[in-house]
Amino acid sequence: MEGTVDGFRYGAVTPVAAYLMACLGGALGLRCIVRSLLNDQSWKPGWLALGAASIGSGIWTMHFIAMIGFQVEETRIRYDASLTVLSLAVAIAVVGIGVFIVGYRGAGTGNLALAGTVTGLGVAAMHYLGMYAMRLNGEINYDALTVTLSIVIAVVAASAALWAAVTIRGFLASLGASLVMGVAVSGMHYTAMAAVSVHVHGTSGSSWAGDSPSSLLLPMLLGPIIFLVLAGVVVMFDPLLVLGDGDWNRGTAHRRSAAARVEEPPAPRHSSVFDTPPAPVRARQHPYEASQRTGEW
């Protein structure tokens, strides 16, 4: 028999919370990528890795918060713990590949297309791997056309996010880009969930392997959420990201010029060997002293 699928068990609570987590992960990831590009002396691999982990954790957290609101009325749903953790690792690793491609090879059209495709496919793989971790008394089927559309949305969203990361510098602009990214990621998720139909084997209430959402998902979500909060603290207290590119450069230039005025000796008036140095200033002499040297009075 066909199961009754409901993706909004708790109304707007899970979609809104999932969207906010996607925005948070996207905002932190974009700012970390921007940080690696603003200053060549910064530790680029560290900032890119932090950005990839933030985006991947945000997408993964968004997915499973939304899945808390998913139910099939005729059967209980549980999750395989190992596959759930693997989906998080896949999200971070594949997003990291795309981020490092753009961070080191630049934002050319070819690089963005490659990085966006890899990242989008990784986001889709994370989603469907998380769906594969579901255990229920039935069989999950997918509509091929809707699945394809969800993958296209994931690739486009990832490409747009990476483009924004290497193009947009201002804080407000990055914030707006993260809000759009949250819409795209949420749209990809719910488009993919629209492709789902469940054929229930029966209503006998038999048990199967796995943990319930309340005993597995909620504790597992705490780790990525705490990580995102800590990443947010790192980003908030970094002076380059707080001041912005222009303000940082102006502040740095001002400090350098002040230090130069204090430490460096005054430069000579003539700056080239072809310039004529100023004539030395002679002391004013009494007429009698001058006459003693010339023999005249």
Side-chain angles (χ1 to χ4, degrees), residues 227-243:
F227 168 78
L228 290 174
V229 171
L230 294 177
V233 172
V234 172
V235 171
M236 287 176 60
F237 285 92
D238 182 76
L240 181 54
L241 290 178
V242 172
L243 293 175

Side-chain angles (χ1 to χ4, degrees), residues 124-197:
M126 182 278 302
H127 174 89
Y128 288 105
L129 184 58
M131 294 295 295
Y132 185 69
M134 292 175 59
R135 300 291 183 263
L136 49 78
N137 188 26
E139 180 181 354
I140 300 177
N141 300 310
Y142 296 94
D143 178 71
L145 181 61
T146 310
V147 169
T148 303
L149 178 60
S150 68
I151 295 174
V152 171
I153 293 175
V155 171
V156 172
S159 301
L162 293 174
W163 174 86
V166 298
T167 304
I168 296 175
R169 291 291 184 268
F171 175 78
L172 294 179
S174 295
L175 179 61
S178 66
L179 296 178
V180 174
M181 182 180 176
V183 171
V185 172
S186 300
M188 178 269 163
H189 172 84
Y190 285 104
T191 300
M193 295 307 298
V196 172
S197 61

Side-chain angles (χ1 to χ4, degrees), residues 54-287:
S54 298
I55 296 175
S57 298
I59 294 172
W60 185 89
T61 306
M62 175 268 158
H63 170 82
F64 282 102
I65 288 178
M67 291 306 296
I68 291 176
F70 177 82
Q71 70 170 350
V72 180
E73 293 184 2
E74 290 80 7
T75 180
R76 295 175 61 191
I77 298 176
R78 299 186 180 187
Y79 290 87
D80 181 85
S82 59
L83 290 176
T84 303
V85 174
L86 179 60
S87 66
L88 174 60
V90 168
I92 295 176
V94 181
V95 169
I97 294 174
V99 166
F100 272 78
I101 289 174
V102 172
Y104 279 95
R105 299 183 60 179
T109 303
N111 292 333
L112 280 177
L114 175 61
T117 301
V118 171
T119 304
L121 292 177
V123 171
M126 182 278 302
H127 174 89
Y128 288 105
L129 184 58
M131 294 295 295
Y132 185 69
M134 292 175 59
R135 300 291 183 263
L136 49 78
N137 188 26
E139 180 181 354
I140 300 177
N141 300 310
Y142 296 94
D143 178 71
L145 181 61
T146 310
V147 169
T148 303
L149 178 60
S150 68
I151 295 174
V152 171
I153 293 175
V155 171
V156 172
S159 301
L162 293 174
W163 174 86
V166 298
T167 304
I168 296 175
R169 291 291 184 268
F171 175 78
L172 294 179
S174 295
L175 179 61
S178 66
L179 296 178
V180 174
M181 182 180 176
V183 171
V185 172
S186 300
M188 178 269 163
H189 172 84
Y190 285 104
T191 300
M193 295 307 298
V196 172
S197 61
V198 179
H199 180 76
V200 180
H201 293 159
T203 58
S204 59
S206 58
S207 61
W208 52 89
D211 296 317
S212 64
S214 60
S215 63
L216 175 66
L217 293 184
L218 289 178
M220 291 182 68
L221 286 170
L222 290 178
I225 290 175
I226 292 174
F227 168 78
L228 290 174
V229 171
L230 294 177
V233 172
V234 172
V235 171
M236 287 176 60
F237 285 92
D238 182 76
L240 181 54
L241 290 178
V242 172
L243 293 175
D245 188 13
D247 293 336
W248 174 267
N249 290 335
R250 287 193 295 269
T252 303
H254 177 71
R255 289 191 296 271
R256 288 178 179 175
S257 61
R261 288 194 301 268
V262 172
E263 297 177 0
E264 294 182 2
R269 295 179 59 184
H270 59 285
S271 58
S272 172
V273 295
F274 297 104
D275 291 339
T276 304
V281 179
R282 298 180 178 178
R284 189 173 181 180
Q285 300 175 341
H286 193 274

Side-chain angles (χ1 to χ4, degrees), residues 282-297:
R282 298 180 178 178
R284 189 173 181 180
Q285 300 175 341
H286 193 274
Y288 176 78
E289 295 176 354
S291 63
Q292 292 297 319
R293 288 194 300 269
T294 59
E296 298 177 358
W297 174 244

